[in-house]
Amino acid sequence: NDREIRKRSKASPAAQALQQIPGIGPFIAWLLMAEVGDLWRFPSAKHLVSYIGLAPSLYASGEHRWGGPITKQGSTVLRWALVQAAHRAALNPRFYGFYQRQRERHGTSRAAVALARKLAVIAFYRWRHALHVAERLPQVEKVRERTSAGAWSEHRPLMSD
């Protein structure tokens, strides 16, 4: 349900952080979070990019090394969603120049994949920062109680040291 996804994304600090990235909305943010799962299992953004399948394949023979197409490992749906987000992000001034340079050199499809990889790296750091901030904040539950007038009131209890 669209409303449910939008409602949950407003309550999730990680989803909010991911939605700050141009091209990524509530649906792609939740898809990314659902497909990746626990972000802490990736020690770096390179590992996440490789997991998604947006990393270039490398070939080596003796002292010669050359790059190939992306590995296409991982979730095809997530890879597709990030490429769609890249097409949208290409219109943003922050990524427009990068996308145009890649497009001139390699064509539209490869430029979108290169931008999708960049979005995945940015998502990794934004998401990880949101998790760090969420761990440092105290988790305070709302209390629901009756007021003197008999109505129900929801509030956060006062912190007392």
Side-chain angles (χ1 to χ4, degrees):
N1 187 336
D2 292 356
R3 278 190 218 144
E4 184 67 25
I5 291 173
R6 291 183 199 281
K7 181 179 161 187
R8 287 184 181 210
S9 69
K10 287 181 182 177
S12 168
Q16 288 293 314
L18 292 173
Q19 289 178 61
Q20 297 300 313
I21 303 167
I24 296 182
F27 301 102
I28 294 179
W30 275 102
L31 177 65
L32 183 64
M33 291 170 33
E35 289 288 331
V36 169
D38 183 17
L39 186 67
W40 296 113
R41 64 191 173 129
F42 301 103
S44 71
K46 286 182 180 181
H47 288 85
L48 176 63
V49 168
S50 180
Y51 173 79
I52 295 171
L54 290 171
S57 56
L58 295 173
Y59 301 100
S61 176
E63 294 181 14
H64 297 283
R65 296 177 62 182
W66 60 96
I70 60 172
T71 59
K72 295 188 178 180
Q73 299 295 311
S75 169
T76 56
V77 173
L78 181 55
R79 202 168 38 258
W80 170 83
L82 284 173
V83 170
Q84 294 303 311
H87 283 293
R88 181 74 178 135
L91 305 174
N92 186 290
R94 179 176 171 190
F95 298 116
Y96 182 79
F98 172 80
Y99 178 78
Q100 290 302 323
R101 286 189 304 276
Q102 294 295 316
R103 195 180 88 176
E104 288 170 9
R105 290 182 67 195
H106 304 289
T108 305
S109 296
R110 285 189 177 187
V113 170
L115 186 52
R117 182 191 185 287
K118 187 181 276 278
L119 292 178
V121 170
I122 294 169
F124 174 82
Y125 289 111
R126 288 265 180 144
W127 188 358
R128 184 159 280 201
H129 177 74
L131 293 176
H132 277 299
V133 170
E135 286 177 358
R136 285 186 291 206
L137 294 177
Q139 298 296 323
V140 180
E141 295 290 325
K142 285 186 178 179
V143 175
R144 187 171 180 191
E145 58 190 14
R146 284 200 183 270
T147 63
S148 58
W152 286 99
S153 169
E154 284 191 5
H155 61 89
R156 296 182 188 272
L158 296 175
M159 301 294 283
S160 58
D161 291 327

